[in-house]
């Protein structure tokens, strides 16, 4: 597996840079993680599924906040007009009718308490650290790097295409209504990924900036991988749940 640290050494053509970015996803996106494989094979317990939904909520909830920080750095009004659609997708036009609300519906459909999920107090420490690191990255790095980190959306339709049919087929407590969040995401993710990829490719005009784009995407893949690592460690066969985190036997 590549580490990609010197992938842009000497400079790359636009097509070669895109190929490297797609290779990052092919090698490091979290559809390769054992937890995801257990999910799609039908091997997760309901407690693990609940833990996944509860922890993933933390990530879903931070998306419009990190996108707002990206807008802070954007001077081009056309860029801002395109990018703010992402916030509307997750918050909804009224602040609570978008993707975050649909993810909360997924969590409550699994039997979790809505207020407990929204509070994020039962999430794993590693989840909170990973999500905080992503928000910090988009706040403190350049606009270019923050946009590049969003390129994991190029691979989002793939993981949804693996996840949703398997969950419907192999978990009798999961219905299409449970997974309503995913109905709009492939189209939204493809739209957003096309815009971000075009931006990155058109602004990666030096070998240094090309490497920054690659590194940003690797970082984002690491964030998503680390979140599944934490779930596997806490709720897998040799579970080691940290103090204060979601306990499967506790009623929520």
């Amino acid at each position: 597996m590549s580490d990609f640290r010197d992938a842009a050494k000497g400079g790359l053509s636009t097509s070669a840079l895109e190929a490297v970015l797609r290779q990052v996803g092919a090698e490091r996106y979290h559809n390769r993680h054992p937890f995801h494989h257990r999910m799609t094979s039908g091997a997760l317990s309901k407690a693990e599924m609940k833990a996944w939904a509860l922890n993933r909520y933390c990530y879903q909830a931070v998306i419009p906040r990190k996108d707002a920080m990206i807008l802070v750095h954007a001077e081009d009004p056309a860029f801002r007009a395109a990018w703010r659609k992402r916030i509307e997708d997750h918050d909804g036009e009224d602040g609570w009718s978008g993707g975050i609300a649909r993810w909360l519906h997924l969590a409550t459909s699994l039997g979790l308490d809505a207020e407990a999920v929204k509070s994020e107090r039962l999430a794993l420490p590693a989840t909170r650290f990973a999500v905080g690191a992503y928000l910090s990255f988009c706040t403190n790095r350049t606009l270019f790097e923050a946009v590049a980190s969003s390129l994991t959306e190029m691979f989002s339709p793939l993981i949804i295409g693996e996840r949703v049919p398997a969950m419907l087929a192999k978990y009798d407590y999961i219905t299409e209504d449970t997974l309503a969040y995913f109905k709009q995401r492939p189209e939204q993710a493809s739209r957003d990924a096309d815009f971000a990829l075009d931006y990155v490719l058109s602004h990666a005009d030096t070998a240094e900036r090309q490497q920054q784009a690659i590194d940003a995407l690797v970082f984002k893949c690491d964030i998503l991988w680390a979140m599944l690592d934490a779930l596997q460690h806490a709720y897998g066969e040799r579970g080691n749940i940290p103090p204060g985190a979601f306990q499967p036997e506790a009623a929520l």
Side-chain angles (χ1 to χ4, degrees), residues 63-238:
I63 290 174
R65 294 171 58 201
K66 68 89 179 172
D67 284 327
M69 297 313 301
I70 289 174
L71 289 176
V72 167
H73 298 299
E75 298 181 359
D76 179 6
F79 177 96
R80 294 197 301 267
W83 201 269
R84 67 172 177 254
K85 295 175 184 176
R86 296 167 177 251
I87 297 177
E88 295 170 359
D89 287 343
H90 285 84
D91 281 342
E93 294 182 359
D94 59 358
W96 195 247
S97 62
I100 296 174
R102 287 189 289 275
W103 192 272
L104 185 63
H105 174 72
L106 186 158
T108 56
S109 295
L110 294 175
L112 294 165
D113 176 75
E115 294 307 314
V117 174
K118 287 192 291 183
S119 75
E120 303 183 16
R121 62 185 175 82
L122 298 177
L124 295 168
T127 297
R128 294 197 296 270
F129 292 152
V131 169
Y134 184 37
L135 179 59
S136 177
F137 185 93
C138 293
T139 301
N140 298 314
R141 295 298 187 100
T142 65
L143 174 65
F144 177 77
E145 290 171 292
V147 171
S149 73
S150 78
L151 288 175
T152 48
E153 289 193 305
M154 292 194 295
F155 321 115
S156 177
L158 170 64
I159 200 170
I160 291 172
E162 294 173 351
R163 181 184 289 154
V164 171
M167 292 172 77
L168 290 172
K170 298 180 179 180
Y171 301 94
D172 58 10
Y173 54 87
I174 292 178
T175 67
E176 291 189 5
D177 178 68
T178 306
L179 303 182
Y181 167 84
F182 294 107
K183 289 183 179 179
Q184 299 179 43
R185 281 309 299 159
E187 180 179 352
Q188 292 170 347
S190 295
R191 175 203 70 199
D192 294 343
D194 287 346
F195 178 86
L197 180 62
D198 181 70
Y199 180 91
V200 168
L201 294 178
S202 63
H203 287 78
D205 50 5
T206 66
E208 180 182 7
R209 287 172 70 82
Q210 291 175 347
Q211 191 62 52
Q212 286 178 341
I214 295 164
D215 291 345
L217 182 54
V218 168
F219 168 80
K220 177 62 179 307
C221 287
D222 287 347
I223 289 289
L224 296 169
W225 193 279
M227 290 173 61
L228 293 191
D229 271 351
L231 284 167
Q232 183 81 355
H233 180 71
Y235 300 104
E237 185 176 340
R238 299 181 179 179

Side-chain angles (χ1 to χ4, degrees), residues 2-25:
S2 308
D3 64 19
F4 299 103
R5 283 180 290 184
D6 296 312
K9 187 175 181 180
L12 300 169
S13 66
T14 299
S15 60
L17 174 58
E18 180 176 351
V20 171
L21 293 170
R22 293 189 182 278
Q23 184 185 359
V24 171

